[in-house]
Amino acid sequence: MKNSYVILLVIFCFSFFPLQAYANSYGWGGYKKTTDHTQPEVGKYKPILEKYNSYYVDPSGDKHVYLTFDNGYEAGYTEQILDVLKEKNAPATFFLTGHYVEDQPELTKRMLDDGHTIGNHSDGHRDFTKLSKQEFTEDLEVLTKKIKKVSEDANVQYVRPPKGTFNEQSLQWANELGYTHIFWSLAFVDWNEGSEKGWKNAYDQVMEQIHRCHYFDAYCI
């Protein structure tokens, strides 16, 4: 996966496929963006998320924006992002992969030292819906151990599935391990290196979709 760094977090407004068998795979993507500043509807996925204490928006209705970054590799922007977050006193959640933690232990440590939250984005960035329960458990727990090796005080309790792929089984297994799934309600596509259109384009797209209580996902290239 390519992670791309944008200082804005993205929102999940997705159109979903019909619910099928328990082990089927669902994709948290291809959503229809809203431009009237309302929360996106997620159709039949909503009761599934509620059943397994999973979130794509903050249900409180308060005026909050939750910044989240998916970091699969480092392209040189993380330090700048951390500098801006520190300057603005803005907390964020960074969903990291095993490769990132191993390759960038100092940046991982700084995220924690600066008061940010680190989430589990899987050790090998694998499709959760294609793993056995043992493989799923190992994938999450191996990464959590790597993060705690960087800092024993790290509290890794949130998980974001690679590419947003999930099913009821993966949500349940995560719950059993003590993890909470966090999706998003607004997203900006910025992981295609070389196709960037500048900060103004990114800003405008995000502001068109902004709504109360959302998880804004910024992928990090």
Side-chain angles (χ1 to χ4, degrees), residues 14-55:
F14 303 87
S15 60
F16 300 91
F17 306 115
L19 298 181
Q20 301 174 33
Y22 187 71
N24 280 4
S25 176
Y26 308 129
W28 192 269
Y31 63 91
K32 182 179 180 181
K33 297 180 180 179
T34 60
T35 57
D36 59 356
H37 307 294
T38 59
Q39 291 184 1
E41 293 293 331
V42 297
K44 295 181 179 179
Y45 281 10
K46 188 173 182 179
I48 295 179
L49 299 187
E50 291 177 347
K51 180 178 179 180
Y52 297 101
N53 300 311
S54 304
Y55 301 91

Side-chain angles (χ1 to χ4, degrees), residues 39 55 57-62 66 213 215:
Q39 291 184 1
Y55 301 91
V57 292
D58 175 352
S60 70
D62 294 335
Y66 295 85
C213 296
Y215 290 97

Side-chain angles (χ1 to χ4, degrees), residues 12-138:
F12 271 160
C13 339
F14 303 87
S15 60
F16 300 91
F17 306 115
L19 298 181
Q20 301 174 33
Y22 187 71
N24 280 4
S25 176
Y26 308 129
W28 192 269
Y31 63 91
K32 182 179 180 181
K33 297 180 180 179
T34 60
T35 57
D36 59 356
H37 307 294
T38 59
Q39 291 184 1
E41 293 293 331
V42 297
K44 295 181 179 179
Y45 281 10
K46 188 173 182 179
I48 295 179
L49 299 187
E50 291 177 347
K51 180 178 179 180
Y52 297 101
N53 300 311
S54 304
Y55 301 91
Y56 73 101
V57 292
D58 175 352
S60 70
D62 294 335
K63 293 182 179 181
H64 295 307
V65 173
Y66 295 85
L67 301 177
T68 66
F69 297 83
D70 296 350
N71 296 63
Y73 69 96
E74 174 56 37
Y77 301 109
T78 310
E79 188 170 4
Q80 293 174 296
I81 289 174
L82 289 172
D83 288 344
V84 172
L85 292 174
K86 186 172 185 178
E87 177 187 346
K88 302 300 181 180
N89 193 30
T93 299
F94 292 84
F95 288 95
L96 308 183
T97 63
H99 173 271
Y100 191 93
V101 175
E102 292 177 337
D103 189 55
Q104 301 294 332
E106 292 303 317
L107 285 175
T108 301
K109 187 174 187 303
R110 181 181 170 183
M111 293 171 188
L112 294 166
D113 290 344
D114 284 0
H116 301 299
T117 299
I118 288 183
N120 195 313
H121 198 39
S122 92
D123 184 56
H125 202 260
R126 304 169 67 186
D127 183 341
F128 285 169
T129 66
K130 295 181 179 179
L131 302 180
S132 67
K133 186 173 185 179
Q134 180 178 346
E135 291 172 329
F136 177 87
T137 300
E138 290 177 352

Side-chain angles (χ1 to χ4, degrees), residues 15 42 76 80 108 110 123 151 157 171 181 199 204-205 220:
S15 60
V42 297
Q80 293 174 296
T108 301
R110 181 181 170 183
D123 184 56
S151 174
Q157 58 182 332
L171 296 180
H181 266 73
W199 72 266
D204 289 344
Q205 287 197 42
C220 309

